[in-house]
Amino acid sequence: MSIAFVFPGQGAQTIGMGKALAEAYPAAKAVFDEVDAALGENLSSLIWEGDIETLTLTQNAQPALMATSMAAMRALEAEGITIAKASFVAGHSLGEYSALAAAGALSIGDTARLLRTRGQAMQSAVPVGVGAMAALLGLDFATVKEVAAEAAAEGEVVQAANDNDPTQVVVSGHKAAVERAAEIAKTKGAKRAVMLPVSAPFHCALMQPAADVMAEALAGVTINAPAVPLIANVRADAVTDPDTIRALLVEQVTGSVRWRESVQVMADKGVTEFWEIGAGKALSGMIRKINRDLICRNIGTDADVKAALEG
């Protein structure tokens, strides 16, 4: 049996996430303290006692979700389950940063600061209301790429942004172009097209200003070789070279999240079990749709950590 540790992206945030871990494990509490110190603010108070609208702001959600994932990792480590148990790590969008922190490629403090910068840069790259994202249900990635090409008008961007699973691909870009893609998708057999409640059009060319900011930010941090290989979002293949990881994190801001392919690559390399480490169960739902034979386990509370020990 081979295991992969996978880390959730934006949308998984909830008020109170990670609190049970912090109360049960001093090492988990220390993660939230370290993130608070790195950001110079009490983010943990927002996570545990704040309002969901403020937590959902991209600049808050990104470091908050990473902190919760790393708290779960530290709780596992306190029980003797280390990163060495995993054959690979991977994360969905911002979750890739959590994966790298878990594998020792980035420090928690650097990761928190990078994600705060990433969130702010992604939010400010496109004025609110100019961009949009939509989930197209029932079409494969290749078909959605065709839909996007047909929907793009002169001067307007729309791209296949997230290849989540065989039933869901997300498009991102200018609002009018995304709306056209949603209508075209229905003519090509999409079951539904759902506009997403996001504040910016992530993972498309409109995010180039944010990619430029991240190139500069990432140039200033130390990236170590991860303890286990990372399956990178934009490449859907294993990487361990720090300079390659740095370049791919920049490319990821405007590139597609190839999650379906990433999971299948890990399965092809012998992974039979996926541990979703942090908040929510969104990745587990996608993984089951990608391959019904894969086992999924969620590690988001102290009870989940105990169950992992028993399992």
Side-chain angles (χ1 to χ4, degrees), residues 166-246:
T167 69
Q168 184 194 113
V169 181
V170 174
V171 292
S172 179
H174 284 105
K175 188 170 186 284
V178 169
E179 289 170 345
R180 279 196 301 275
E183 293 306 312
I184 293 167
K186 292 172 188 174
T187 70
K188 294 187 181 291
K191 293 177 182 176
R192 275 198 304 154
V194 182
M195 299 300 289
L196 299 180
V198 295
S199 54
F202 305 129
H203 299 291
C204 76
L206 296 179
M207 287 287 111
Q208 187 58 49
D212 295 340
V213 169
M214 290 313 297
E216 185 175 345
L218 284 157
V221 300
T222 298
I223 300 180
N224 304 307
V228 298
L230 170 78
I231 303 296
N233 281 185
V234 295
R235 189 176 284 186
D237 202 3
V239 293
T240 56
D241 176 68
D243 289 335
T244 302
I245 289 169
R246 196 186 312 272

Side-chain angles (χ1 to χ4, degrees), residues 4-242:
F5 288 176
V6 296
F7 298 83
Q10 212 160 323
Q13 65 274 2
T14 57
I15 295 298
M17 62 183 183
K19 190 173 185 182
L21 289 165
E23 289 172 347
Y25 293 95
K29 173 67 164 58
V31 170
F32 289 102
D33 292 343
E34 188 171 350
V35 169
D36 286 352
L39 298 179
E41 65 183 66
N42 195 349
L43 184 67
S44 57
S45 178
L46 170 62
I47 297 168
W48 297 334
E49 298 150 11
D51 64 274
I52 190 63
E53 291 80 11
T54 306
L55 180 61
T56 297
L57 292 173
T58 304
Q59 67 190 52
N60 294 328
Q62 295 202 21
L65 284 161
M66 181 278 296
T68 303
S69 287
M70 285 307 300
M73 273 301 305
R74 295 292 182 258
L76 286 171
E77 290 165 3
E79 298 289 3
I81 299 175
T82 70
I83 193 68
K85 190 173 182 72
S87 298
F88 300 98
V89 293
H92 193 284
S93 191
L94 84 89
E96 191 155 90
Y97 285 79
S98 305
L100 288 165
L106 287 168
S107 72
I108 288 175
D110 280 344
T111 309
R113 286 184 288 267
L114 285 169
L115 287 173
R116 169 54 57 81
T117 298
R118 184 178 183 267
Q120 290 172 332
M122 291 171 83
Q123 185 61 66
S124 62
V126 180
V128 173
V130 170
M133 299 180 78
L136 307 184
L137 309 181
L139 297 180
D140 62 23
F141 190 56
T143 304
V144 172
K145 287 175 77 172
E146 293 172 6
V147 166
E150 191 174 331
E154 189 173 338
E156 287 190 328
V157 167
V158 59
Q159 291 171 229
N162 297 355
D163 183 11
N164 285 334
D165 63 47
T167 69
Q168 184 194 113
V169 181
V170 174
V171 292
S172 179
H174 284 105
K175 188 170 186 284
V178 169
E179 289 170 345
R180 279 196 301 275
E183 293 306 312
I184 293 167
K186 292 172 188 174
T187 70
K188 294 187 181 291
K191 293 177 182 176
R192 275 198 304 154
V194 182
M195 299 300 289
L196 299 180
V198 295
S199 54
F202 305 129
H203 299 291
C204 76
L206 296 179
M207 287 287 111
Q208 187 58 49
D212 295 340
V213 169
M214 290 313 297
E216 185 175 345
L218 284 157
V221 300
T222 298
I223 300 180
N224 304 307
V228 298
L230 170 78
I231 303 296
N233 281 185
V234 295
R235 189 176 284 186
D237 202 3
V239 293
T240 56
D241 176 68

Side-chain angles (χ1 to χ4, degrees), residues 6 90 92 141 162-169 231 236 257-268 271 274 282-296:
V6 296
H92 193 284
F141 190 56
N162 297 355
D163 183 11
N164 285 334
D165 63 47
T167 69
Q168 184 194 113
V169 181
I231 303 296
V257 176
R258 295 166 61 183
W259 186 252
R260 176 186 56 83
E261 291 176 86
S262 295
V263 170
Q264 198 55 58
V265 162
M266 287 183 271
D268 291 345
V271 172
F274 287 78
L283 298 185
S284 297
M286 294 176 195
I287 290 164
R288 291 188 181 99
K289 289 176 181 175
I290 294 164
N291 187 330
R292 291 178 180 274
D293 295 329
L294 299 172
I295 298 164
C296 297

